Amino acid sequence: MVVDAHCHLCFKHFRRDVENVVRRAEEAGVERMYDCGVTPETIRRSLEISERFDSVVSTAGLHPPRAPRMPDGVIDETVRLVRENADRLAAVGEIGLDYHYIKDPEERRVMRSVFERFLELAEDLGKPVVIHAREAEKDAFVTLTSYSVVAMFHCYDGPAGLAEAIVEEGHYVSLSTIHCIRGGRDPGTRKLLEKVPLEGMLVETDSPYLSPVKGKRRNEPANVWRIVELVAEVKGMGVEEVADVTSENAVAFYDL
Ligand SMILES: [Zn+2]
């Protein structure tokens, strides 16, 4: 059994065949998928999907690179949706900072204020947060320290030393199938996978993105095993052992 700690079944890529995708994951032993809505539309869709399938649990936030260009009304609507559906949401997020896509200082300022607004919301609701931090891991980590929330850094690809510090503070680091594309021979990937402490490690696919299979466009939760296998190989552990520990971590982290 394994858990996919972050995916987007609510995206249009799965509109036609979400049922088959969920079934394939369940047959592959994926006992739970944490599905993430990042706009009012995808949040509503995620809530529909988690209503239909026991193995799917929703989280809801606002995709950081989109935040600076969103009308205030959409941000307010997202906050309202999270509040209204709080008892059906395992976490607030993804939320965070993205310095890869957002370069303009004014846009970065807006992105940060949206991030802080959602951190306050999570604190108020007593929910954990799913962090999207791209080329901004350190800033996101520092920002977090002003809030009493537990966080998971989704699709973590930052410095190995920072991953250790994140876990030391009681947060989680989620490794995605993107590491399978580079593979176990890449020294940076190996170092990161070696260093992330098992007690704070989660695994995810971020489906439909980050397919571990070269040339295959759409990723899906059944592929979460590929990152479990890579972690097991790098850490010299059994595949089942990595699956068990990361599943327990996911259940401990999420509210549902
Ligand atoms: Zn995502």
Side-chain angles (χ1 to χ4, degrees):
M1 289 294 192
V2 70
V3 168
D4 184 351
H6 182 91
C7 60
H8 302 281
L9 295 170
C10 54
F11 282 13
K12 61 178 188 304
H13 311 68
F14 296 109
R15 192 156 283 276
R16 281 194 194 162
D17 62 344
V18 70
E19 203 167 306
N20 292 339
V21 172
V22 170
R23 195 184 321 122
R24 266 200 297 278
E26 289 173 352
E27 282 169 7
V30 182
E31 60 185 323
R32 204 170 289 180
M33 292 151 255
Y34 287 92
D35 186 55
C36 175
V38 293
T39 58
E41 191 197 345
T42 54
I43 291 167
R44 288 194 189 92
R45 173 73 180 150
S46 180
L47 288 166
E48 269 171 41
I49 295 170
S50 58
E51 182 81 33
R52 259 174 80 194
F53 305 101
D54 288 344
S55 55
V56 180
V57 181
S58 293
T59 76
L62 200 62
H63 201 227
R66 291 187 226 195
R69 286 157 211 171
M70 270 197 176
D72 285 348
V74 178
I75 295 168
D76 292 342
E77 188 188 353
T78 310
V79 169
R80 199 167 54 238
L81 264 175
V82 172
R83 276 198 183 281
E84 282 170 5
N85 296 286
D87 58 340
R88 296 175 56 203
L89 295 171
V92 173
E94 52 191 283
I95 54 172
L97 302 171
D98 192 316
Y99 294 166
H100 179 79
Y101 284 116
I102 305 298
K103 309 273 189 210
D104 177 71
E106 175 56 20
E107 287 193 335
R108 282 190 180 179
R109 195 194 60 74
V110 175
M111 180 168 66
R112 167 175 289 278
S113 76
V114 173
F115 180 34
E116 288 173 344
R117 186 171 170 192
F118 278 90
L119 285 171
E120 271 168 40
L121 175 66
E123 197 174 50
D124 191 36
L125 295 171
K127 295 279 176 192
V129 291
V130 177
I131 302 289
H132 166 120
R134 190 156 178 206
E135 293 168 23
E137 291 85 357
K138 184 80 190 290
D139 272 9
F141 181 49
V142 171
T143 307
L144 269 180
T145 55
S146 313
Y147 299 85
S148 62
V149 290
V150 181
M152 81 112 138
F153 282 69
H154 119 75
C155 194
Y156 186 84
D157 198 21
L162 182 61
E164 290 177 305
I166 289 168
V167 174
E168 197 143 305
E169 286 299 309
H171 303 296
Y172 294 83
V173 169
S174 183
L175 298 171
S176 75
T177 40
I178 197 171
H179 298 297
C180 308
I181 301 169
R182 283 186 220 130
R185 279 190 297 266
D186 176 68
T189 302
R190 274 201 101 80
K191 187 177 171 202
L192 176 62
L193 270 49
E194 269 164 17
K195 289 253 179 165
V196 176
L198 212 55
E199 69 266 24
M201 185 193 287
L202 302 173
V203 286
E204 64 170 281
T205 60
D206 203 17
S207 301
Y209 307 121
L210 316 180
S211 175
V213 187
K214 244 192 191 144
K216 196 156 192 192
R217 279 208 303 271
R218 191 181 74 167
N219 197 3
E220 61 177 65
N223 292 333
V224 73
W225 284 110
R226 302 292 86 77
I227 180 64
V228 171
E229 287 158 5
L230 185 59
V231 169
E233 186 225 303
V234 171
K235 283 195 181 295
M237 294 172 62
V239 171
E240 290 299 329
E241 197 183 353
V242 174
D244 286 349
V245 176
T246 52
S247 298
E248 281 162 25
N249 289 346
V251 171
F253 166 70
Y254 280 115
D255 207 27
L256 288 174

